[in-house]
Amino acid sequence: QSALTQPPSASGSPGQSVTISCTGTGSDVGDYNFVSWYQHHPGKAPKLMIYEVSKRPSGVPARFSGSRSGNTASLTVSGLQAEDEGDYYCSSYIAGVTVLFGGGTKLTVL
Amino acid sequence: EVQLVESGGGLVQPGGSLRLSCAASGFTFSTYWMSWVRQAPGKGLEWVATIDQDGSEKTHVDSVKGRFTISRDNARNSLYLQMNSLRAEDTAVYYCAIRFHHRFDYWGQGTLVTVAS
């Protein structure tokens, strides 16, 4: 099973909005409501930012939102802040207990 | 506060073995599915294995089947990954994570495994 497809990089200025895409197939992203997004700062523990396509865990700022259209899920960060810089990974349930991740997107705040 | 602390990583020769441990605290360990996820240098995340609450159901990614085994000790609040017949492509930072439904709610900071001669 190939990894979900994410752009390698994205960027925006403070206060702007940026959207990161995550493209799968009708057997993963397009078939289940179990798409998640993780923020990862190198050397630290990854952090769950969005689950079940668009739900935010407690403590995650409302600036982070998720959506899906067909086989592509998206993470939007509104009102970019310097601390949002880092790597972002999407994931999708496939079958059984298998989870597939995207290749990651490096978000730079200019 | 949920804490997951991995240990046991290091340098090992191809064909060798390592046992990773993950010490859990701040939550009722025995009631959660747990997983290992890895990240090879310069690469993305890869799910490795998942185990259910009592250890009766275990699933591993195809690339490690027959070589790696996930296990747990609920009395010790610990998760393990026994890795045998290690290959260069197993070089990665290994994270333990709480698996809830089909997401990973909390992660540790990881332990580095380097397979090289």
Side-chain angles (χ1 to χ4, degrees):
Chain A
Q1 194 91 25
S2 299
L4 305 175
T5 301
Q6 296 182 235
S9 63
S11 62
S13 299
Q16 288 186 333
S17 292
V18 64
T19 297
I20 299 171
S21 62
C22 170
T23 301
T25 70
S27 299
D28 40 65
V29 173
D31 199 23
Y32 302 101
N33 290 328
F34 294 115
V35 176
S36 301
W37 290 89
Y38 302 89
Q39 178 190 65
H40 188 206
H41 295 126
K44 297 198 172 183
K47 178 183 178 183
L48 176 67
M49 305 301 285
I50 297 288
Y51 67 98
E52 292 175 15
V53 178
S54 60
K55 297 178 181 179
R56 274 181 296 104
S58 173
V60 172
R63 306 183 289 104
F64 291 85
S65 63
S67 63
R68 180 184 58 191
S69 177
N71 297 336
T72 298
S74 297
L75 172 72
T76 297
V77 186
S78 305
L80 268 176
Q81 298 183 5
E83 59 263 34
D84 298 334
E85 190 162 284
D87 299 323
Y88 289 82
Y89 294 90
C90 63
S91 74
S92 175
Y93 169 73
I94 302 178
V97 294
T98 303
V99 170
L100 192 61
F101 285 96
T105 297
K106 182 176 182 60
L107 175 61
T108 301
V109 181
L110 303 170
Chain B
E1 179 193 3
V2 171
Q3 283 202 327
L4 298 168
V5 181
E6 302 92 339
S7 61
L11 175 63
V12 62
Q13 292 188 339
S17 298
L18 273 180
R19 188 196 196 205
L20 305 185
S21 299
C22 172
S25 61
F27 64 104
T28 307
F29 179 74
S30 62
T31 63
Y32 286 90
W33 290 55
M34 298 293 297
S35 291
W36 289 98
V37 178
R38 68 184 178 183
Q39 183 176 30
K43 303 290 186 181
L45 298 170
E46 180 185 33
W47 166 77
V48 175
T50 291
I51 188 168
D52 71 350
Q53 293 96 328
D54 66 3
S56 60
E57 183 174 345
K58 308 175 185 183
T59 308
H60 302 77
V61 68
D62 285 348
S63 60
V64 309
K65 280 181 182 175
R67 301 188 299 122
F68 291 12
T69 303
I70 189 172
S71 64
R72 66 191 297 161
D73 184 339
N74 287 341
R76 296 178 183 270
N77 288 342
S78 292
L79 178 73
Y80 306 103
L81 186 67
Q82 178 65 44
M83 304 187 296
N84 299 330
S85 302
L86 281 160
R87 306 167 180 168
E89 55 264 36
D90 297 318
T91 294
V93 175
Y94 285 74
Y95 299 95
C96 74
I98 298 173
R99 172 84 177 254
F100 187 73
H101 288 172
H102 304 297
R103 65 182 190 258
F104 304 100
D105 278 3
Y106 292 96
W107 303 58
Q109 291 199 325
T111 186
L112 176 62
V113 172
T114 302
V115 184
S117 54

Short mmCIF file of all heavy atoms in Angstrom, two decimals, chain A residues 17-71:
data_model
loop_
_atom_site.label_atom_id
_atom_site.label_comp_id
_atom_site.label_asym_id
_atom_site.label_seq_id
_atom_site.Cartn_x
_atom_site.Cartn_y
_atom_site.Cartn_z
N SER A 17 -3.65 32.23 5.90
CA SER A 17 -4.15 30.86 5.97
C SER A 17 -3.38 30.00 5.00
O SER A 17 -2.97 30.47 3.93
CB SER A 17 -5.65 30.80 5.62
OG SER A 17 -6.42 31.43 6.60
N VAL A 18 -3.18 28.75 5.37
CA VAL A 18 -2.52 27.79 4.48
C VAL A 18 -3.29 26.48 4.55
O VAL A 18 -3.81 26.11 5.61
CB VAL A 18 -1.04 27.60 4.86
CG1 VAL A 18 -0.91 26.98 6.24
CG2 VAL A 18 -0.32 26.75 3.84
N THR A 19 -3.38 25.81 3.43
CA THR A 19 -4.07 24.51 3.35
C THR A 19 -3.13 23.45 2.84
O THR A 19 -2.43 23.66 1.85
CB THR A 19 -5.31 24.61 2.44
OG1 THR A 19 -6.24 25.54 3.00
CG2 THR A 19 -5.99 23.25 2.32
N ILE A 20 -3.12 22.32 3.53
CA ILE A 20 -2.28 21.18 3.15
C ILE A 20 -3.20 20.05 2.72
O ILE A 20 -4.15 19.70 3.43
CB ILE A 20 -1.42 20.72 4.35
CG1 ILE A 20 -0.49 21.85 4.79
CG2 ILE A 20 -0.63 19.48 3.99
CD1 ILE A 20 0.23 21.56 6.11
N SER A 21 -2.93 19.49 1.56
CA SER A 21 -3.77 18.43 1.03
C SER A 21 -3.19 17.05 1.33
O SER A 21 -1.99 16.90 1.59
CB SER A 21 -3.95 18.59 -0.47
OG SER A 21 -2.69 18.48 -1.13
N CYS A 22 -4.07 16.06 1.26
CA CYS A 22 -3.71 14.66 1.54
C CYS A 22 -4.57 13.80 0.62
O CYS A 22 -5.76 13.66 0.86
CB CYS A 22 -3.96 14.35 3.00
SG CYS A 22 -3.83 12.61 3.46
N THR A 23 -3.96 13.24 -0.41
CA THR A 23 -4.72 12.51 -1.41
C THR A 23 -4.51 11.02 -1.27
O THR A 23 -3.38 10.54 -1.23
CB THR A 23 -4.32 12.96 -2.82
OG1 THR A 23 -4.57 14.38 -2.94
CG2 THR A 23 -5.14 12.23 -3.87
N GLY A 24 -5.63 10.32 -1.21
CA GLY A 24 -5.59 8.86 -1.13
C GLY A 24 -6.42 8.26 -2.25
O GLY A 24 -6.40 8.75 -3.38
N THR A 25 -7.14 7.23 -1.91
CA THR A 25 -7.97 6.52 -2.89
C THR A 25 -9.35 6.27 -2.30
O THR A 25 -9.63 6.61 -1.15
CB THR A 25 -7.34 5.18 -3.28
OG1 THR A 25 -7.44 4.29 -2.15
CG2 THR A 25 -5.89 5.33 -3.70
N GLY A 26 -10.19 5.63 -3.09
CA GLY A 26 -11.51 5.27 -2.60
C GLY A 26 -11.49 4.14 -1.59
O GLY A 26 -12.52 3.80 -1.02
N SER A 27 -10.30 3.59 -1.32
CA SER A 27 -10.17 2.51 -0.33
C SER A 27 -9.66 3.00 1.01
O SER A 27 -9.55 2.22 1.95
CB SER A 27 -9.21 1.43 -0.86
OG SER A 27 -9.70 0.86 -2.06
N ASP A 28 -9.34 4.28 1.08
CA ASP A 28 -8.84 4.80 2.36
C ASP A 28 -9.50 6.15 2.65
O ASP A 28 -10.56 6.19 3.25
CB ASP A 28 -7.31 4.88 2.39
CG ASP A 28 -6.69 5.36 1.08
OD1 ASP A 28 -6.93 6.51 0.70
OD2 ASP A 28 -5.98 4.57 0.44
N VAL A 29 -8.86 7.24 2.23
CA VAL A 29 -9.40 8.58 2.54
C VAL A 29 -10.85 8.74 2.10
O VAL A 29 -11.68 9.31 2.81
CB VAL A 29 -8.52 9.67 1.89
CG1 VAL A 29 -9.16 11.04 2.05
CG2 VAL A 29 -7.12 9.67 2.50
N GLY A 30 -11.15 8.21 0.91
CA GLY A 30 -12.49 8.39 0.37
C GLY A 30 -13.54 7.44 0.90
O GLY A 30 -14.73 7.60 0.59
N ASP A 31 -13.09 6.46 1.69
CA ASP A 31 -14.03 5.41 2.10
C ASP A 31 -14.36 5.42 3.59
O ASP A 31 -15.35 4.80 4.00
CB ASP A 31 -13.44 4.04 1.72
CG ASP A 31 -14.50 2.95 1.67
OD1 ASP A 31 -15.70 3.29 1.48
OD2 ASP A 31 -14.15 1.76 1.82
N TYR A 32 -13.53 6.04 4.39
CA TYR A 32 -13.74 6.02 5.83
C TYR A 32 -13.66 7.44 6.41
O TYR A 32 -12.92 8.28 5.91
CB TYR A 32 -12.67 5.16 6.52
CG TYR A 32 -12.62 3.73 6.04
CD1 TYR A 32 -11.65 3.31 5.14
CD2 TYR A 32 -13.54 2.79 6.51
CE1 TYR A 32 -11.60 1.99 4.71
CE2 TYR A 32 -13.49 1.47 6.08
CZ TYR A 32 -12.52 1.09 5.18
OH TYR A 32 -12.47 -0.21 4.75
N ASN A 33 -14.37 7.65 7.49
CA ASN A 33 -14.31 8.94 8.19
C ASN A 33 -13.20 8.95 9.24
O ASN A 33 -13.33 9.60 10.27
CB ASN A 33 -15.66 9.25 8.86
CG ASN A 33 -16.72 9.58 7.84
OD1 ASN A 33 -16.43 10.14 6.79
ND2 ASN A 33 -17.95 9.22 8.15
N PHE A 34 -12.11 8.22 8.96
CA PHE A 34 -11.04 8.11 9.96
C PHE A 34 -9.75 8.71 9.42
O PHE A 34 -8.71 8.06 9.37
CB PHE A 34 -10.83 6.65 10.36
CG PHE A 34 -12.01 6.06 11.08
CD1 PHE A 34 -12.74 5.02 10.53
CD2 PHE A 34 -12.38 6.54 12.33
CE1 PHE A 34 -13.82 4.48 11.20
CE2 PHE A 34 -13.47 6.01 13.00
CZ PHE A 34 -14.20 4.98 12.44
N VAL A 35 -9.85 9.98 9.02
CA VAL A 35 -8.67 10.74 8.61
C VAL A 35 -8.21 11.59 9.78
O VAL A 35 -9.02 12.27 10.42
CB VAL A 35 -8.97 11.64 7.40
CG1 VAL A 35 -7.74 12.50 7.05
CG2 VAL A 35 -9.39 10.80 6.19
N SER A 36 -6.92 11.53 10.06
CA SER A 36 -6.34 12.30 11.16
C SER A 36 -5.17 13.13 10.65
O SER A 36 -4.59 12.83 9.60
CB SER A 36 -5.84 11.37 12.27
OG SER A 36 -6.86 10.56 12.78
N TRP A 37 -4.83 14.17 11.42
CA TRP A 37 -3.68 15.02 11.11
C TRP A 37 -2.82 15.17 12.36
O TRP A 37 -3.35 15.32 13.46
CB TRP A 37 -4.13 16.39 10.64
CG TRP A 37 -4.77 16.41 9.28
CD1 TRP A 37 -6.09 16.24 9.00
CD2 TRP A 37 -4.10 16.60 8.04
NE1 TRP A 37 -6.29 16.31 7.64
CE2 TRP A 37 -5.08 16.54 7.02
CE3 TRP A 37 -2.77 16.83 7.66
CZ2 TRP A 37 -4.78 16.70 5.67
CZ3 TRP A 37 -2.46 16.99 6.32
CH2 TRP A 37 -3.47 16.92 5.33
N TYR A 38 -1.50 15.12 12.16
CA TYR A 38 -0.55 15.21 13.26
C TYR A 38 0.46 16.31 12.97
O TYR A 38 0.92 16.47 11.84
CB TYR A 38 0.19 13.88 13.46
CG TYR A 38 -0.76 12.73 13.73
CD1 TYR A 38 -1.29 12.00 12.67
CD2 TYR A 38 -1.14 12.41 15.02
CE1 TYR A 38 -2.18 10.97 12.90
CE2 TYR A 38 -2.03 11.38 15.26
CZ TYR A 38 -2.56 10.67 14.19
OH TYR A 38 -3.45 9.65 14.43
N GLN A 39 0.82 17.03 14.02
CA GLN A 39 1.88 18.03 13.96
C GLN A 39 3.12 17.43 14.60
O GLN A 39 3.03 16.82 15.69
CB GLN A 39 1.46 19.28 14.73
CG GLN A 39 2.49 20.39 14.78
CD GLN A 39 2.07 21.47 15.78
OE1 GLN A 39 1.98 21.24 16.98
NE2 GLN A 39 1.80 22.66 15.26
N HIS A 40 4.26 17.60 13.96
CA HIS A 40 5.48 17.03 14.50
C HIS A 40 6.61 18.04 14.43
O HIS A 40 6.98 18.50 13.35
CB HIS A 40 5.88 15.75 13.74
CG HIS A 40 7.02 15.03 14.36
ND1 HIS A 40 7.86 14.21 13.64
CD2 HIS A 40 7.45 14.97 15.64
CE1 HIS A 40 8.77 13.71 14.45
NE2 HIS A 40 8.53 14.13 15.67
N HIS A 41 7.12 18.38 15.60
CA HIS A 41 8.33 19.17 15.67
C HIS A 41 9.48 18.20 15.90
O HIS A 41 9.44 17.40 16.85
CB HIS A 41 8.24 20.19 16.80
CG HIS A 41 7.19 21.23 16.58
ND1 HIS A 41 6.19 21.51 17.51
CD2 HIS A 41 6.98 22.07 15.54
CE1 HIS A 41 5.41 22.46 17.02
NE2 HIS A 41 5.86 22.82 15.84
N PRO A 42 10.50 18.21 15.04
CA PRO A 42 11.61 17.25 15.15
C PRO A 42 12.16 17.15 16.56
O PRO A 42 12.37 18.17 17.22
CB PRO A 42 12.64 17.82 14.17
CG PRO A 42 11.82 18.51 13.14
CD PRO A 42 10.67 19.11 13.90
N GLY A 43 12.34 15.91 16.99
CA GLY A 43 12.86 15.67 18.33
C GLY A 43 11.79 15.64 19.40
O GLY A 43 12.10 15.34 20.56
N LYS A 44 10.57 15.92 19.02
CA LYS A 44 9.48 15.93 19.99
C LYS A 44 8.43 14.88 19.62
O LYS A 44 8.49 14.28 18.55
CB LYS A 44 8.85 17.32 20.07
CG LYS A 44 9.81 18.39 20.55
CD LYS A 44 9.07 19.62 21.03
CE LYS A 44 10.02 20.60 21.69
NZ LYS A 44 9.30 21.78 22.22
N ALA A 45 7.48 14.67 20.51
CA ALA A 45 6.41 13.73 20.24
C ALA A 45 5.43 14.33 19.25
O ALA A 45 5.03 15.49 19.39
CB ALA A 45 5.69 13.38 21.55
N PRO A 46 5.03 13.56 18.24
CA PRO A 46 3.96 14.04 17.36
C PRO A 46 2.70 14.34 18.17
O PRO A 46 2.47 13.76 19.24
CB PRO A 46 3.74 12.86 16.40
CG PRO A 46 5.06 12.14 16.39
CD PRO A 46 5.55 12.26 17.81
N LYS A 47 1.88 15.25 17.64
CA LYS A 47 0.67 15.68 18.35
C LYS A 47 -0.53 15.58 17.43
O LYS A 47 -0.49 16.04 16.29
CB LYS A 47 0.83 17.13 18.83
CG LYS A 47 -0.40 17.69 19.55
CD LYS A 47 -0.19 19.14 19.93
CE LYS A 47 -1.43 19.73 20.60
NZ LYS A 47 -1.26 21.17 20.91
N LEU A 48 -1.60 14.96 17.94
CA LEU A 48 -2.85 14.84 17.18
C LEU A 48 -3.51 16.21 17.09
O LEU A 48 -3.76 16.84 18.12
CB LEU A 48 -3.78 13.84 17.87
CG LEU A 48 -5.17 13.66 17.25
CD1 LEU A 48 -5.06 12.99 15.88
CD2 LEU A 48 -6.06 12.83 18.18
N MET A 49 -3.82 16.65 15.86
CA MET A 49 -4.43 17.95 15.65
C MET A 49 -5.89 17.86 15.18
O MET A 49 -6.72 18.70 15.52
CB MET A 49 -3.63 18.75 14.63
CG MET A 49 -2.16 18.92 14.96
SD MET A 49 -1.87 19.72 16.52
CE MET A 49 -2.25 21.42 16.10
N ILE A 50 -6.17 16.86 14.35
CA ILE A 50 -7.50 16.64 13.80
C ILE A 50 -7.76 15.14 13.74
O ILE A 50 -6.85 14.38 13.40
CB ILE A 50 -7.64 17.23 12.37
CG1 ILE A 50 -7.46 18.76 12.37
CG2 ILE A 50 -8.97 16.82 11.73
CD1 ILE A 50 -8.63 19.53 12.97
N TYR A 51 -8.97 14.72 14.08
CA TYR A 51 -9.33 13.32 13.92
C TYR A 51 -10.72 13.22 13.30
O TYR A 51 -11.49 14.18 13.32
CB TYR A 51 -9.25 12.56 15.25
CG TYR A 51 -10.28 13.00 16.28
CD1 TYR A 51 -11.46 12.28 16.46
CD2 TYR A 51 -10.06 14.12 17.10
CE1 TYR A 51 -12.39 12.65 17.41
CE2 TYR A 51 -10.98 14.51 18.04
CZ TYR A 51 -12.15 13.77 18.19
OH TYR A 51 -13.08 14.15 19.13
N GLU A 52 -11.01 12.06 12.74
CA GLU A 52 -12.29 11.83 12.05
C GLU A 52 -12.62 12.98 11.11
O GLU A 52 -13.72 13.55 11.15
CB GLU A 52 -13.39 11.58 13.09
CG GLU A 52 -13.19 10.25 13.81
CD GLU A 52 -14.18 9.99 14.93
OE1 GLU A 52 -15.22 10.69 15.00
OE2 GLU A 52 -13.92 9.07 15.72
N VAL A 53 -11.67 13.30 10.28
CA VAL A 53 -11.73 14.29 9.19
C VAL A 53 -11.71 15.73 9.68
O VAL A 53 -10.94 16.55 9.18
CB VAL A 53 -12.98 14.07 8.29
CG1 VAL A 53 -13.05 15.13 7.19
CG2 VAL A 53 -12.96 12.68 7.68
N SER A 54 -12.56 16.06 10.67
CA SER A 54 -12.74 17.48 10.98
C SER A 54 -12.87 17.79 12.47
O SER A 54 -13.17 18.94 12.82
CB SER A 54 -13.97 18.02 10.24
OG SER A 54 -15.13 17.30 10.64
N LYS A 55 -12.67 16.80 13.33
CA LYS A 55 -12.84 17.04 14.77
C LYS A 55 -11.51 17.45 15.40
O LYS A 55 -10.46 16.90 15.07
CB LYS A 55 -13.39 15.79 15.44
CG LYS A 55 -14.77 15.39 14.94
CD LYS A 55 -15.25 14.11 15.60
CE LYS A 55 -16.62 13.73 15.06
NZ LYS A 55 -17.12 12.47 15.66
N ARG A 56 -11.59 18.41 16.33
CA ARG A 56 -10.39 18.87 17.02
C ARG A 56 -10.35 18.33 18.44
O ARG A 56 -11.32 18.49 19.19
CB ARG A 56 -10.36 20.41 17.08
CG ARG A 56 -9.75 21.09 15.88
CD ARG A 56 -9.75 22.61 16.03
NE ARG A 56 -11.09 23.16 16.09
CZ ARG A 56 -11.68 23.61 17.20
NH1 ARG A 56 -11.02 23.56 18.35
NH2 ARG A 56 -12.90 24.09 17.16
N PRO A 57 -9.22 17.73 18.83
CA PRO A 57 -9.09 17.31 20.24
C PRO A 57 -9.10 18.53 21.15
O PRO A 57 -8.78 19.65 20.73
CB PRO A 57 -7.73 16.62 20.28
CG PRO A 57 -7.39 16.31 18.85
CD PRO A 57 -8.04 17.38 18.04
N SER A 58 -9.43 18.30 22.40
CA SER A 58 -9.39 19.36 23.38
C SER A 58 -7.99 19.96 23.44
O SER A 58 -7.00 19.25 23.45
CB SER A 58 -9.78 18.80 24.76
OG SER A 58 -9.60 19.76 25.75
N GLY A 59 -7.94 21.30 23.43
CA GLY A 59 -6.65 21.97 23.55
C GLY A 59 -6.05 22.39 22.22
O GLY A 59 -5.11 23.20 22.20
N VAL A 60 -6.56 21.88 21.12
CA VAL A 60 -6.06 22.29 19.80
C VAL A 60 -6.79 23.56 19.38
O VAL A 60 -8.02 23.61 19.40
CB VAL A 60 -6.27 21.18 18.75
CG1 VAL A 60 -5.93 21.69 17.35
CG2 VAL A 60 -5.43 19.96 19.10
N PRO A 61 -6.05 24.59 19.00
CA PRO A 61 -6.70 25.87 18.66
C PRO A 61 -7.68 25.73 17.50
O PRO A 61 -7.48 24.92 16.58
CB PRO A 61 -5.52 26.76 18.26
CG PRO A 61 -4.33 26.16 18.92
CD PRO A 61 -4.58 24.70 18.96
N ALA A 62 -8.72 26.54 17.53
CA ALA A 62 -9.75 26.52 16.49
C ALA A 62 -9.21 26.97 15.14
O ALA A 62 -9.89 26.84 14.12
CB ALA A 62 -10.93 27.39 16.91
N ARG A 63 -7.97 27.49 15.13
CA ARG A 63 -7.34 27.90 13.87
C ARG A 63 -7.08 26.69 12.97
O ARG A 63 -6.88 26.83 11.76
CB ARG A 63 -6.01 28.61 14.14
CG ARG A 63 -6.10 29.76 15.10
CD ARG A 63 -4.77 30.47 15.29
NE ARG A 63 -3.79 29.72 16.03
CZ ARG A 63 -2.76 29.10 15.50
NH1 ARG A 63 -2.58 29.13 14.19
NH2 ARG A 63 -1.88 28.45 16.26
N PHE A 64 -7.05 25.52 13.57
CA PHE A 64 -6.82 24.28 12.81
C PHE A 64 -8.16 23.66 12.46
O PHE A 64 -9.00 23.44 13.34
CB PHE A 64 -5.98 23.30 13.63
CG PHE A 64 -4.57 23.76 13.84
CD1 PHE A 64 -4.23 24.61 14.88
CD2 PHE A 64 -3.56 23.34 12.98
CE1 PHE A 64 -2.93 25.04 15.06
CE2 PHE A 64 -2.25 23.76 13.15
CZ PHE A 64 -1.94 24.61 14.19
N SER A 65 -8.34 23.37 11.17
CA SER A 65 -9.59 22.75 10.74
C SER A 65 -9.30 21.72 9.67
O SER A 65 -8.31 21.81 8.94
CB SER A 65 -10.58 23.79 10.24
OG SER A 65 -10.07 24.46 9.10
N GLY A 66 -10.19 20.73 9.58
CA GLY A 66 -10.02 19.67 8.60
C GLY A 66 -11.26 19.51 7.76
O GLY A 66 -12.38 19.82 8.20
N SER A 67 -11.07 19.01 6.55
CA SER A 67 -12.19 18.77 5.65
C SER A 67 -11.81 17.66 4.68
O SER A 67 -10.68 17.17 4.67
CB SER A 67 -12.56 20.04 4.89
OG SER A 67 -11.47 20.45 4.06
N ARG A 68 -12.77 17.25 3.87
CA ARG A 68 -12.50 16.22 2.86
C ARG A 68 -13.44 16.42 1.68
O ARG A 68 -14.61 16.77 1.85
CB ARG A 68 -12.72 14.83 3.44
CG ARG A 68 -12.45 13.69 2.45
CD ARG A 68 -12.78 12.34 3.04
NE ARG A 68 -14.17 12.29 3.48
CZ ARG A 68 -14.66 11.31 4.22
NH1 ARG A 68 -13.90 10.31 4.61
NH2 ARG A 68 -15.93 11.33 4.59
N SER A 69 -12.90 16.19 0.51
CA SER A 69 -13.68 16.18 -0.71
C SER A 69 -13.23 14.98 -1.53
O SER A 69 -12.08 14.93 -2.00
CB SER A 69 -13.48 17.47 -1.50
OG SER A 69 -14.20 17.42 -2.71
N GLY A 70 -14.12 14.02 -1.70
CA GLY A 70 -13.75 12.81 -2.42
C GLY A 70 -12.60 12.08 -1.75
O GLY A 70 -12.66 11.78 -0.55
N ASN A 71 -11.54 11.84 -2.49
CA ASN A 71 -10.39 11.09 -1.97
C ASN A 71 -9.30 12.01 -1.41
O ASN A 71 -8.20 11.54 -1.12
CB ASN A 71 -9.79 10.22 -3.07
CG ASN A 71 -10.76 9.15 -3.55
OD1 ASN A 71 -11.68 8.76 -2.84
ND2 ASN A 71 -10.57 8.71 -4.79
#
